[in-house]
Amino acid sequence: MKKLMSILAAGMFALLLSSCGSNSPEAVVKKALNATLDGDGETYTELMFRFDESEWEGSDKQREKQMAKKAREIEKQAKRMAKADDDEKIDKFEIIDVTIDFDDEDRAEVEVKFFFEDGHTRKTTFYVRRTTEGNWRLVS
């Protein structure tokens, strides 16, 4: 179970890309988690923060390769979760709290509570950042 949560946390914290329908930290995390649970790697990668060009040292081809790899990881994770024992299967999740950074309003923390099929719960914090275009995205 720790491995599954580590994979989920690593996936959610990963980084990079484009836009979504709603523009709030909570909405981005909800959409990314739903994409993860559904095995929709493409949607997930679209919700990841893309570093400014000055912060990215690789080529566009490397970035595309990295995003495709991340999408495949999300899809594989969903398949593994479908076959997992009840103590590893996430039944649902709930946003508990959203905290905008006091010093930087373009950063926020979103606390999520996961409910597993066997009845136990676990809390995790996801970090989001607003792009220069004003869209919220997941960050590591």
Side-chain angles (χ1 to χ4, degrees):
M1 182 168 89
K2 287 182 182 181
K3 185 175 181 179
L4 179 64
M5 285 307 296
S6 296
I7 292 170
L8 180 62
M12 298 312 294
F13 284 79
L15 23 21
L16 290 124
L17 213 70
S18 123
S19 70
C20 77
S22 190
N23 193 23
S24 73
E26 180 178 5
V28 168
V29 171
K30 279 184 180 179
K31 189 169 182 179
L33 287 173
N34 281 323
T36 300
L37 294 174
D38 293 340
D40 185 355
E42 185 176 332
T43 296
Y44 176 82
T45 58
E46 290 174 359
L47 298 169
M48 298 169 68
F49 184 79
R50 180 186 297 246
F51 284 105
D52 295 331
E53 290 301 318
S54 62
E55 297 175 12
W56 175 255
E57 297 177 6
S59 68
D60 287 340
K61 189 173 184 174
Q62 288 172 315
R63 186 183 337 226
E64 288 172 17
K65 229 174 142 175
Q66 184 178 13
M67 298 311 299
K69 181 180 177 185
K70 186 69 199 158
R72 285 190 306 275
E73 288 173 7
I74 295 295
E75 292 161 6
K76 286 179 184 178
Q77 178 181 333
K79 288 178 184 176
R80 279 192 304 271
M81 196 179 305
K83 296 177 183 178
D85 295 332
D86 287 349
D87 66 334
E88 295 179 350
K89 285 184 184 177
I90 297 172
D91 182 41
K92 63 181 179 176
F93 63 89
E94 174 183 310
I95 304 294
I96 298 172
D97 190 32
V98 178
T99 306
I100 304 294
D101 188 310
F102 182 75
D103 295 322
D104 184 353
E105 293 180 359
D106 290 333
R107 295 181 184 269
E109 295 179 4
V110 180
E111 188 175 5
V112 178
K113 185 174 187 178
F114 291 99
F115 298 85
F116 292 82
E117 289 192 7
D118 73 346
H120 81 279
T121 62
R122 177 171 287 158
K123 292 181 185 177
T124 303
T125 301
F126 295 94
Y127 300 90
V128 294
R129 179 175 171 185
R130 193 179 347 232
T131 66
T132 54
E133 295 82 22
N135 299 312
W136 289 95
R137 297 289 174 262
L138 297 167
V139 295
S140 59

